[in-house]
Amino acid sequence: LIRSINDPEHPLTLEELNVVEQMRVKVNDAESTVAVEFTPTIPHCSMATLIGLSIKVKLIRSLPERFKLDVHITPGTHASEHAVNKQLADKERVAAALENSHLLEVVNQCLSARS
Amino acid sequence: GVKNGSWSVLQVVEALGSCLENTDPRTRGRGIQLLSQVLLQCYSLLQEKEVLHLVLFYENRLQDHHLVIPSVLQGLRALSMCEVLAPGLAVSVLKAIFQEVHVQSLLQLDRHTVYSIITNFMGTREEELKGLGADFTFGFIQVMDGEKDPRNLLVAFQIVRDLIAKNYSLGPFVEELFEVTSCYFPIDFSPPPNDPHGIQREDLILSLRAVLASTSQFAEFLLPLLIEKMDSDLQSAKLDSLQTLTACCAIYGQKELQEFLPSLWSSLRREVFQTASEKVEAECLAALHALSACLSRSVLRSDTEDLLDSFLGSILQDCRHHLCEPDMKLVWPSAKLLQAAAGASLRAYHCVTRSVLPLLLEQYTKHPQSSQRRTILEMLLGFLELHQKWGHVHEDESPVLSLRASVCSVVFSALTDPSVQLQLVGIRALTVLSSLQGFLSPSDLELVVDHLICLALRGEDAQSSEAAMEAAGSLAPIYPKVFSGHMVPRLEEELQSEREEEGSPDRCSLRQRCLQALAAVSTHTSIVRETVPVLLQHLRKVQKGSEAANVQDLVSVCQSLHRVALQCQQDAEGCWYYHQTVVPCLLAMAVQAAMQESTQPLLCKALLEEEVLAAMVPVISAATTHLSPELAAQSVSHVVPLFLDGEVSFLPQNSFPCLFQPFEDGECLEAQRRLVALLMAFVCSLPRNVAIPQQERLLRELLALSCSCNCPFTATTAAKCFAGLVNKHPAGQQLDEILQLAVNRVEPGLAEGPRRTQALTLLLWVTKALVLRYHPLSSRLTDKLLTLLSDTELGPAVADGFSLLMAESPDVLHRGCHADVRIMFRQRFFTDNVPKLVQGFHGAGPDVKANYLKGLSHVLNHLPKPVLVTELPTLLPLLLEALSCSDRVVQLSTLSCLQPLLLEAPQIMSLHVDTLVTKFLSLTSSPTMAVRIAALRCAHALTSLPITALLPYKARVIRALAKPLDDKKRLVRKEAVAARGEWFLLGSPGR
């Protein structure tokens, strides 16, 4: 599902950039939980939050409501890993980000235009 | 009155006298207007004397009040079209206009009149105007200065182009003329909406470009302008300047370009290296190509420096080092620039390749990674492809020839590389190399063939093996000897050496590939003569083996044979050879097998499996369709007696244990009857003008067989064969009798009895044959079909039959096998029968309603989309009703019919958006998976409707689509995700 999301900076998808990998995605159907770990391209990638947000939005839109989502950075691959994880885990912050039309635009760009 | 000669112009002038001399300018204006109108109507009747006076009068009037001027100009225009105009008058008129009239202050229409006066004079009095010298040009420059209206500009540009093209003297006014035109460059004009004049931006751009690029005299002014505009931010300006530059290069020479080459190159380089737009890049490359071509054209003088060399030198200097970094972004732009420059002329090519090829070869060895090698090889390939443009090159100085050995070794090393991508590029390079005549030595060629065989047979990736076969196919016609002498025996060997490890999957796929490769190289007649016997021999061998597994083998041999047949269709000789060899052989094998089975019914022959027979059908058909009528007639005189009378004498190895009589009744002849499929393949593919011996009898036999046979395969093929013959049968009494006979057999058969399906099949095929050729009986037969729709037993089969009627059938009754197919038969069928279908639907009982809908949706599915869209408003309510029908087949076919319509006719569909949304959403919870998927696809397709119509439903759809996200089937979930994602994006920013 998330492999075809476009990177905000490159004309490539997250899978092609190895940002998301199958082994870092854990799905538990019985308990209805999904955990995704993604690896930013470089430790200082300024887009890490945005990538995380895109993954999260895509999952929210594509998965049944019963699933509980957890999107976070692969440990040890980003400078401000903790801060980003906190932002992504905070439901209200995600909701607020999606109210921001500029942010929403970027996220939608990432999600559309896949061929 | 003037027109028919009863009045002379003089009289008109006299009559208007008071008017023309009135002191009030308005009255005077009206008088002159009348006179001008008269003149416009009848300028061709005027006498020379009259013209002289009128001209003098009009010239005089030019000094008059400004209200009068428009009419005066009209009059002059009329006079300018006069053929009897005395010499010298044109000059004086123009002089007067240039002197007296301030053109810029006139209205658009009057300015246009001035231009047309000039154009008229230029067309008829070229010599006189040239006598004016540069004054004329200057006068025109003044007239044109400040023109704004696009309509006038088009005319004015045309005048300038003529000025230049016809060598009017420009004198000292070159720069002025350039200024007055170039100020419009680049053109930025968008036609107003609902513009009645229909002038497009393109027209202006093209005509201005024609002006600017018409003379090298403009070069010194134009080139700086172009360079400046290339640096502009506007993409349209860039494109326009590049295209203009390309156009200019066609007439410029070294002299004009010399001064500006460095800055032109730096602009082009910057654009190619930095641009994001493919269009700009392509134009830049085209311009560079043109520049280089222009420079190579000019004749070298010994004392001057060769501009081409220095220009290419600077390009090489800027691009070379990028080529050494195959991972960096600039590698491709550099290669493209070099290729564009090199492609312009042989000289440029030598110059560039002399430096680049060794570099690339060296880089190839330096970079061990296959992805980098691939990039380098692709660039190399680009340069080699350019070489093809000049064909056979003798010169020893060609750098490619001198590097032959190393190029070959690089390409061969690519072929043995484990990376598939690199292999693919290598194969392409190999194809290019080999197609350069005289480039490869015979020993190299053998090596090439070895590599191709190796890749084709043992390549681990299907892609590269396919590419190798294709390459072999395209090279075979160039070197038929090498391929037939080298490759075919090798493949034959492979095919035969397989005995020892029978049945292992590896051997199986190897055998498949051998067969494919044999078919692929058969692109030349001499090779076909080698490969066909090999394939046939293999077929015989496989057939002797008695395992069930070799059905697949037989089928793949037949597929290979089919491919060969398609490849040698175009060549009459090859085709006849193929036909003579293959058709009797296949028939003989089939007949023999059938006889053996008749005598020993327990032994089941793989060759007689329906699958195998079905694979043989296209082989025979392809071998027959392109025969010339005489040869076909010769062959038909053998085949038909074989089936009718058991005449086996023409078959090879014709010693059979018993009689071949496929049309006789008898328990053990079932196998023989099946061979009707082969008869069908042959007879139905004949050209229409070939007469079939004993056609009447053949038709009767087929008819009987199709109605009486229990085996569905045989019955269907017999029906198809019958239909194929009926379709080609010339109209007349004989045809009517045959058809009557058929109807007589079908009707009781349909009424009751165990063979209703056979009768229906026959009816369907005969109907199709007749519908295709617009036979009058076809409407009766289709009506019969329509009534059968309400039959509870046969109804569904009839509904499916509609798709058979409308679709293209693969083996008979299509144009490829010379059937009589009228264009638009589908439309005709549609208009004739759909109203009846709709009517029938409304009148039918609930249990058979579905049949009508199914038939309807089959018809609609095959109808060309434009027709469907126009008919849509009337049909849509019915289709929507069909959605609520509970039968899932109907639902499914309606949904699949609606989905493309949603994409193609969004305007009409958006009228029903409310119903559509509701139905689709309710169908997403259907118990059938296929229906759920189709409904979700339709919901997805809904998003292509106008957004305004959809937004009210967005929230509802998104909520409803959350449910199928949790569907228990993965395919459904996938569609749901796609559809829901698309609905989320509707109307939100960033789409």
mmCIF file of all heavy atoms in Angstrom, chain B residues 692-718:
data_model
loop_
_atom_site.group_PDB
_atom_site.id
_atom_site.type_symbol
_atom_site.label_atom_id
_atom_site.label_comp_id
_atom_site.label_asym_id
_atom_site.label_seq_id
_atom_site.Cartn_x
_atom_site.Cartn_y
_atom_site.Cartn_z
ATOM 1 N N ILE B 692 -14.928 -23.246 -55.229
ATOM 2 C CA ILE B 692 -14.740 -24.483 -54.474
ATOM 3 C C ILE B 692 -15.474 -25.590 -55.203
ATOM 4 O O ILE B 692 -16.671 -25.484 -55.465
ATOM 5 C CB ILE B 692 -15.280 -24.322 -53.046
ATOM 6 C CG1 ILE B 692 -14.450 -23.273 -52.342
ATOM 7 C CG2 ILE B 692 -15.245 -25.639 -52.298
ATOM 8 C CD1 ILE B 692 -15.036 -22.789 -51.069
ATOM 9 N N PRO B 693 -14.783 -26.649 -55.562
ATOM 10 C CA PRO B 693 -15.455 -27.726 -56.284
ATOM 11 C C PRO B 693 -16.502 -28.402 -55.402
ATOM 12 O O PRO B 693 -16.306 -28.532 -54.187
ATOM 13 C CB PRO B 693 -14.312 -28.687 -56.641
ATOM 14 C CG PRO B 693 -13.204 -28.331 -55.710
ATOM 15 C CD PRO B 693 -13.361 -26.893 -55.370
ATOM 16 N N GLN B 694 -17.560 -28.788 -55.999
ATOM 17 C CA GLN B 694 -18.671 -29.496 -55.317
ATOM 18 C C GLN B 694 -19.166 -28.726 -54.097
ATOM 19 O O GLN B 694 -19.470 -29.302 -53.067
ATOM 20 C CB GLN B 694 -18.240 -30.886 -54.870
ATOM 21 C CG GLN B 694 -17.526 -31.671 -55.945
ATOM 22 C CD GLN B 694 -17.154 -33.020 -55.442
ATOM 23 O OE1 GLN B 694 -18.023 -33.784 -55.026
ATOM 24 N NE2 GLN B 694 -15.870 -33.356 -55.483
ATOM 25 N N GLN B 695 -19.249 -27.420 -54.244
ATOM 26 C CA GLN B 695 -19.602 -26.615 -53.081
ATOM 27 C C GLN B 695 -20.964 -26.997 -52.517
ATOM 28 O O GLN B 695 -21.130 -27.124 -51.295
ATOM 29 C CB GLN B 695 -19.611 -25.140 -53.475
ATOM 30 C CG GLN B 695 -19.752 -24.233 -52.272
ATOM 31 C CD GLN B 695 -19.471 -22.798 -52.630
ATOM 32 O OE1 GLN B 695 -19.588 -22.405 -53.771
ATOM 33 N NE2 GLN B 695 -19.113 -22.005 -51.650
ATOM 34 N N GLU B 696 -21.895 -27.206 -53.440
ATOM 35 C CA GLU B 696 -23.253 -27.547 -53.010
ATOM 36 C C GLU B 696 -23.242 -28.754 -52.076
ATOM 37 O O GLU B 696 -23.784 -28.733 -50.974
ATOM 38 C CB GLU B 696 -24.072 -27.865 -54.250
ATOM 39 C CG GLU B 696 -25.540 -27.961 -53.978
ATOM 40 C CD GLU B 696 -26.243 -26.733 -54.528
ATOM 41 O OE1 GLU B 696 -25.555 -25.818 -55.026
ATOM 42 O OE2 GLU B 696 -27.455 -26.707 -54.457
ATOM 43 N N ARG B 697 -22.570 -29.785 -52.539
ATOM 44 C CA ARG B 697 -22.554 -31.025 -51.782
ATOM 45 C C ARG B 697 -21.860 -30.811 -50.430
ATOM 46 O O ARG B 697 -22.336 -31.243 -49.390
ATOM 47 C CB ARG B 697 -21.796 -32.087 -52.589
ATOM 48 C CG ARG B 697 -21.960 -33.453 -51.986
ATOM 49 C CD ARG B 697 -21.317 -34.508 -52.845
ATOM 50 N NE ARG B 697 -20.730 -35.510 -51.984
ATOM 51 C CZ ARG B 697 -19.648 -36.202 -52.291
ATOM 52 N NH1 ARG B 697 -19.026 -35.977 -53.440
ATOM 53 N NH2 ARG B 697 -19.196 -37.103 -51.452
ATOM 54 N N LEU B 698 -20.779 -30.085 -50.497
ATOM 55 C CA LEU B 698 -20.035 -29.816 -49.271
ATOM 56 C C LEU B 698 -20.922 -29.114 -48.255
ATOM 57 O O LEU B 698 -20.969 -29.483 -47.074
ATOM 58 C CB LEU B 698 -18.821 -28.959 -49.616
ATOM 59 C CG LEU B 698 -17.874 -28.626 -48.476
ATOM 60 C CD1 LEU B 698 -17.273 -29.898 -47.928
ATOM 61 C CD2 LEU B 698 -16.781 -27.712 -48.961
ATOM 62 N N LEU B 699 -21.665 -28.114 -48.742
ATOM 63 C CA LEU B 699 -22.524 -27.362 -47.830
ATOM 64 C C LEU B 699 -23.576 -28.266 -47.202
ATOM 65 O O LEU B 699 -23.838 -28.204 -45.995
ATOM 66 C CB LEU B 699 -23.194 -26.210 -48.592
ATOM 67 C CG LEU B 699 -22.294 -25.004 -48.856
ATOM 68 C CD1 LEU B 699 -22.938 -24.048 -49.826
ATOM 69 C CD2 LEU B 699 -21.980 -24.294 -47.550
ATOM 70 N N ARG B 700 -24.165 -29.130 -48.028
ATOM 71 C CA ARG B 700 -25.196 -30.028 -47.487
ATOM 72 C C ARG B 700 -24.620 -30.943 -46.410
ATOM 73 O O ARG B 700 -25.210 -31.143 -45.357
ATOM 74 C CB ARG B 700 -25.776 -30.881 -48.602
ATOM 75 C CG ARG B 700 -26.834 -30.152 -49.396
ATOM 76 C CD ARG B 700 -27.184 -30.956 -50.642
ATOM 77 N NE ARG B 700 -27.639 -30.068 -51.702
ATOM 78 C CZ ARG B 700 -28.878 -29.612 -51.774
ATOM 79 N NH1 ARG B 700 -29.775 -29.985 -50.888
ATOM 80 N NH2 ARG B 700 -29.229 -28.791 -52.746
ATOM 81 N N GLU B 701 -23.443 -31.471 -46.705
ATOM 82 C CA GLU B 701 -22.807 -32.370 -45.741
ATOM 83 C C GLU B 701 -22.527 -31.641 -44.428
ATOM 84 O O GLU B 701 -22.765 -32.156 -43.348
ATOM 85 C CB GLU B 701 -21.487 -32.917 -46.304
ATOM 86 C CG GLU B 701 -21.622 -33.742 -47.553
ATOM 87 C CD GLU B 701 -22.111 -35.146 -47.241
ATOM 88 O OE1 GLU B 701 -22.534 -35.387 -46.107
ATOM 89 O OE2 GLU B 701 -22.057 -35.998 -48.145
ATOM 90 N N LEU B 702 -22.013 -30.431 -44.556
ATOM 91 C CA LEU B 702 -21.693 -29.667 -43.354
ATOM 92 C C LEU B 702 -22.946 -29.404 -42.541
ATOM 93 O O LEU B 702 -22.957 -29.509 -41.309
ATOM 94 C CB LEU B 702 -21.050 -28.330 -43.749
ATOM 95 C CG LEU B 702 -19.595 -28.410 -44.193
ATOM 96 C CD1 LEU B 702 -19.154 -27.096 -44.788
ATOM 97 C CD2 LEU B 702 -18.722 -28.758 -43.003
ATOM 98 N N LEU B 703 -23.999 -29.043 -43.261
ATOM 99 C CA LEU B 703 -25.262 -28.751 -42.598
ATOM 100 C C LEU B 703 -25.728 -29.966 -41.815
ATOM 101 O O LEU B 703 -26.093 -29.871 -40.628
ATOM 102 C CB LEU B 703 -26.275 -28.375 -43.676
ATOM 103 C CG LEU B 703 -27.549 -27.700 -43.224
ATOM 104 C CD1 LEU B 703 -27.196 -26.443 -42.478
ATOM 105 C CD2 LEU B 703 -28.404 -27.386 -44.427
ATOM 106 N N ALA B 704 -25.664 -31.099 -42.477
ATOM 107 C CA ALA B 704 -26.123 -32.316 -41.822
ATOM 108 C C ALA B 704 -25.276 -32.609 -40.593
ATOM 109 O O ALA B 704 -25.789 -32.904 -39.510
ATOM 110 C CB ALA B 704 -26.025 -33.481 -42.808
ATOM 111 N N LEU B 705 -23.986 -32.461 -40.773
ATOM 112 C CA LEU B 705 -23.079 -32.763 -39.672
ATOM 113 C C LEU B 705 -23.337 -31.849 -38.479
ATOM 114 O O LEU B 705 -23.378 -32.287 -37.333
ATOM 115 C CB LEU B 705 -21.642 -32.616 -40.164
ATOM 116 C CG LEU B 705 -20.544 -32.990 -39.181
ATOM 117 C CD1 LEU B 705 -20.693 -34.448 -38.814
ATOM 118 C CD2 LEU B 705 -19.189 -32.731 -39.789
ATOM 119 N N SER B 706 -23.524 -30.547 -38.765
ATOM 120 C CA SER B 706 -23.661 -29.602 -37.662
ATOM 121 C C SER B 706 -24.934 -29.860 -36.883
ATOM 122 O O SER B 706 -25.018 -29.553 -35.696
ATOM 123 C CB SER B 706 -23.636 -28.177 -38.186
ATOM 124 O OG SER B 706 -24.805 -27.927 -38.905
ATOM 125 N N CYS B 707 -25.969 -30.407 -37.521
ATOM 126 C CA CYS B 707 -27.214 -30.633 -36.795
ATOM 127 C C CYS B 707 -27.249 -31.977 -36.113
ATOM 128 O O CYS B 707 -27.955 -32.159 -35.130
ATOM 129 C CB CYS B 707 -28.398 -30.539 -37.743
ATOM 130 S SG CYS B 707 -28.687 -28.872 -38.276
ATOM 131 N N SER B 708 -26.526 -32.941 -36.666
ATOM 132 C CA SER B 708 -26.737 -34.288 -36.164
ATOM 133 C C SER B 708 -25.651 -34.748 -35.201
ATOM 134 O O SER B 708 -25.830 -35.720 -34.489
ATOM 135 C CB SER B 708 -26.791 -35.259 -37.344
ATOM 136 O OG SER B 708 -25.547 -35.198 -38.020
ATOM 137 N N CYS B 709 -24.534 -34.044 -35.177
ATOM 138 C CA CYS B 709 -23.423 -34.571 -34.414
ATOM 139 C C CYS B 709 -23.606 -34.325 -32.921
ATOM 140 O O CYS B 709 -24.106 -33.283 -32.501
ATOM 141 C CB CYS B 709 -22.135 -33.935 -34.892
ATOM 142 S SG CYS B 709 -20.712 -34.593 -34.074
ATOM 143 N N ASN B 710 -23.179 -35.278 -32.129
ATOM 144 C CA ASN B 710 -23.338 -35.133 -30.684
ATOM 145 C C ASN B 710 -22.197 -34.377 -30.044
ATOM 146 O O ASN B 710 -22.352 -33.774 -28.992
ATOM 147 C CB ASN B 710 -23.422 -36.510 -30.035
ATOM 148 C CG ASN B 710 -24.791 -37.099 -30.241
ATOM 149 O OD1 ASN B 710 -25.782 -36.360 -30.213
ATOM 150 N ND2 ASN B 710 -24.851 -38.387 -30.488
ATOM 151 N N CYS B 711 -21.024 -34.441 -30.696
ATOM 152 C CA CYS B 711 -19.864 -33.796 -30.103
ATOM 153 C C CYS B 711 -19.947 -32.292 -30.347
ATOM 154 O O CYS B 711 -20.067 -31.853 -31.497
ATOM 155 C CB CYS B 711 -18.606 -34.374 -30.743
ATOM 156 S SG CYS B 711 -17.167 -33.351 -30.524
ATOM 157 N N PRO B 712 -19.956 -31.488 -29.296
ATOM 158 C CA PRO B 712 -20.125 -30.044 -29.490
ATOM 159 C C PRO B 712 -19.020 -29.430 -30.343
ATOM 160 O O PRO B 712 -19.286 -28.543 -31.156
ATOM 161 C CB PRO B 712 -20.104 -29.464 -28.077
ATOM 162 C CG PRO B 712 -19.924 -30.586 -27.148
ATOM 163 C CD PRO B 712 -19.848 -31.865 -27.899
ATOM 164 N N PHE B 713 -17.793 -29.917 -30.185
ATOM 165 C CA PHE B 713 -16.682 -29.357 -30.956
ATOM 166 C C PHE B 713 -16.931 -29.530 -32.444
ATOM 167 O O PHE B 713 -16.868 -28.581 -33.218
ATOM 168 C CB PHE B 713 -15.379 -30.062 -30.551
ATOM 169 C CG PHE B 713 -14.178 -29.619 -31.314
ATOM 170 C CD1 PHE B 713 -13.540 -28.432 -30.975
ATOM 171 C CD2 PHE B 713 -13.685 -30.366 -32.364
ATOM 172 C CE1 PHE B 713 -12.423 -28.012 -31.676
ATOM 173 C CE2 PHE B 713 -12.565 -29.948 -33.066
ATOM 174 C CZ PHE B 713 -11.937 -28.767 -32.721
ATOM 175 N N THR B 714 -17.262 -30.738 -32.834
ATOM 176 C CA THR B 714 -17.479 -31.005 -34.249
ATOM 177 C C THR B 714 -18.665 -30.212 -34.772
ATOM 178 O O THR B 714 -18.594 -29.597 -35.837
ATOM 179 C CB THR B 714 -17.732 -32.507 -34.461
ATOM 180 O OG1 THR B 714 -16.748 -33.222 -33.736
ATOM 181 C CG2 THR B 714 -17.667 -32.863 -35.912
ATOM 182 N N ALA B 715 -19.734 -30.209 -34.004
ATOM 183 C CA ALA B 715 -20.931 -29.507 -34.468
ATOM 184 C C ALA B 715 -20.632 -28.029 -34.654
ATOM 185 O O ALA B 715 -21.013 -27.418 -35.652
ATOM 186 C CB ALA B 715 -22.050 -29.699 -33.452
ATOM 187 N N THR B 716 -19.926 -27.449 -33.696
ATOM 188 C CA THR B 716 -19.641 -26.016 -33.795
ATOM 189 C C THR B 716 -18.750 -25.718 -34.984
ATOM 190 O O THR B 716 -19.012 -24.783 -35.737
ATOM 191 C CB THR B 716 -18.944 -25.533 -32.505
ATOM 192 O OG1 THR B 716 -19.680 -26.003 -31.409
ATOM 193 C CG2 THR B 716 -18.859 -24.032 -32.483
ATOM 194 N N THR B 717 -17.708 -26.541 -35.167
ATOM 195 C CA THR B 717 -16.828 -26.251 -36.309
ATOM 196 C C THR B 717 -17.565 -26.432 -37.615
ATOM 197 O O THR B 717 -17.366 -25.651 -38.545
ATOM 198 C CB THR B 717 -15.577 -27.149 -36.325
ATOM 199 O OG1 THR B 717 -15.864 -28.344 -35.658
ATOM 200 C CG2 THR B 717 -14.412 -26.467 -35.694
ATOM 201 N N ALA B 718 -18.403 -27.442 -37.680
ATOM 202 C CA ALA B 718 -19.149 -27.621 -38.921
ATOM 203 C C ALA B 718 -20.029 -26.401 -39.172
ATOM 204 O O ALA B 718 -20.111 -25.894 -40.291
ATOM 205 C CB ALA B 718 -19.988 -28.880 -38.845
#
